[in-house]
Amino acid sequence: MEPTLYRNARIFTAEPGADRPTADAMLVQDGRIVAVGAEAAIAGRAGTGAPTRTIDLGGRVVVPGFVDAHTHLMMMGEALGKVELTSARTVEEIQRRLAAARGEHPSAERLLGRGWLFDSIPGGAPTAAMLDAAVPDVPVYLDANDLHSCWVNSAALAELGITDETPDPLGGRIVRDADGHATGLLLETAATQTVWPLLESRTTDEDRDAALERAFEAYLAAGVTGAVDMAFGEADLAAVERAIDRHGGRLPIRLAAHWLIDNHGDAEQNSTQLRRAAELAGRDFGGSFRVVGVKFISDGVIDACTAALGAPYTDGSNADPIWPADDLRPAVLEADRLRLQIAIHAIGDAASSNALDALEAAAAGNPSWDRRHRIEHLEYAAEGTAERLAALGLTASMQPVHTDPAVRANWDAMLGADRAARGFAWPEYEAAGALLAFSTDAPTAPHEALANMYVATTRRSALDRSLAAVEPQFALSLGSAIGHATRDAAASVGDGATRGRLAPGYAADFAVLADDPFADGPEALLDTGVAATFVDGREVHTAERAGV
Ligand SMILES: [Zn+2]
């Protein structure tokens, strides 16, 4: 293929330590970067064989394609097919959007929505009656922003078989009014063990295929060229294999997956899952998809007081880990022996300490190999965690969007001011020298990479710009934040020498931004868009308003 020279650009290469665009031209051939630098210096590298195609980028900023280092691709695609409610800040607006969606899909058997905020509803108390007023005829299921609660209408309560007599499930609550009637709000397992299985049982392969396509498209439009799925299972695998076939042998983005291991409290059942993951990790799915390892969800989340803390929540409660140390340690040891890359979800400080102990024991107990284990979230970690991570060569996998001020009030209240003040302390990991990989954990937060960079660099809200910053001393520079979301995110799955930077020999995965946040400041991250996205040197997305 003829080489292509991209010129008149402001290229941010994401070399370690890079803090601003440093090159104005880039030469690409056969999907790889041949040279990056000053146009005068690299133009001579072209022109030896085939004629060089030249593309003038009009002075725009170019960054490496973002790698979403922790996401849930299928759920993200499913969420994108639901009515968006995060930006609906009143009950009336929520009702208006639902009625409009119902009007557009009059034959749909049910109506699904996503992302509503407790803040948008008077007293934080949504009711079925509010939804019945907009859509009375079919079941309506609305996921809360944190995916831990579901707000439903009366038809949905009937479809679920929930009556005044239905007892609360273990670990969940059917919210009831003073007269004992279910209000339409289902918390935790009352949502995840009733609504989710019902909707899952109604989901067809065609639905799953459409969801994956929506996710691919949304990522490419956001400048995201790679992703790491953090709770992969059999249904995901089948859908991804169909997508590989549909796309002629390779996915539109590069995908790595961690196989979800459930704790059955039974060593043999846990081991069976690990062996299945090891078998898949050894399988060749073509270059665009790999199973790299496993995922253990060792605790819950702070908002619901289900994350395991060293000292109780402000309400006096605390949570037991989902993977107690005695279950986690042998499973981690075996996964490490099978050379599976281990990711452990640990949000509370007790959980991350447990995770570190288990990973430390595995490193001590097994022969050494090229380990790339990681801890997910680390929202509130014990002091010294960053240093232990760095010493063990572990990746800190963190989500700036999870500290968006719009979702921090309850988080802060549950932890109390002293602990909250050390939440999401990214500079601690930089200072300790741990690999820090950024991601969005979509769909628990918006998947847009630039909005994630806004929160990382300002500690302000990408959802509501009127809110004040939280712990602004932890904000990172733009160059540093983009590096964690490109170079370090790629390195977290072993692609550090091939993707995530714009350097000779690297894949030509990059995004062209419509505006220049380096020159114009962080607000440009929210106002700007991605003008074009390239994967392996092919232009796979072009924005309508700002084509290249
Ligand atoms: Zn996740």
Side-chain angles (χ1 to χ4, degrees), residues 135-162:
V135 181
D137 56 336
V138 293
V140 175
Y141 296 94
L142 309 180
D143 299 327
N145 190 52
D146 64 4
L147 293 175
H148 286 264
S149 322
C150 195
W151 173 16
V152 305
N153 69 351
S154 297
L157 286 172
E159 183 172 51
L160 293 165
I162 291 176

Side-chain angles (χ1 to χ4, degrees), residues 70 72 295 377 441:
H70 177 140
H72 304 276
K295 163 89 173 296
H377 308 306
D441 197 11

Side-chain angles (χ1 to χ4, degrees), residues 217-234:
E217 228 171 85
Y219 266 145
L220 292 176
V224 178
T225 58
V228 184
D229 196 297
M230 265 300 160
F232 216 68
E234 300 290 352

Side-chain angles (χ1 to χ4, degrees), residues 365-453:
N366 288 331
S368 121
W369 60 288
D370 180 22
R371 294 183 171 89
R372 277 186 296 271
H373 302 326
R374 46 198 283 166
I375 301 184
E376 306 306 305
H377 308 306
L378 291 161
E379 293 187 3
Y380 174 68
E383 285 195 46
T385 297
E387 289 73 16
R388 287 187 71 190
L389 274 152
L392 287 165
L394 302 172
T395 299
S397 169
M398 301 180 77
Q399 297 73 38
V401 263
H402 280 170
T403 186
D404 187 302
V407 299
R408 271 290 296 260
N410 181 58
W411 193 97
D412 286 46
M414 293 301 113
L415 276 188
D418 284 354
R419 285 184 290 189
R422 272 197 57 254
F424 301 87
W426 311 312
E428 290 185 6
Y429 298 89
E430 288 189 338
L435 186 74
L436 176 60
F438 275 167
S439 58
T440 69
D441 197 11
T444 69
H447 68 275
E448 283 91 355
L450 295 178
N452 201 27
M453 296 298 91

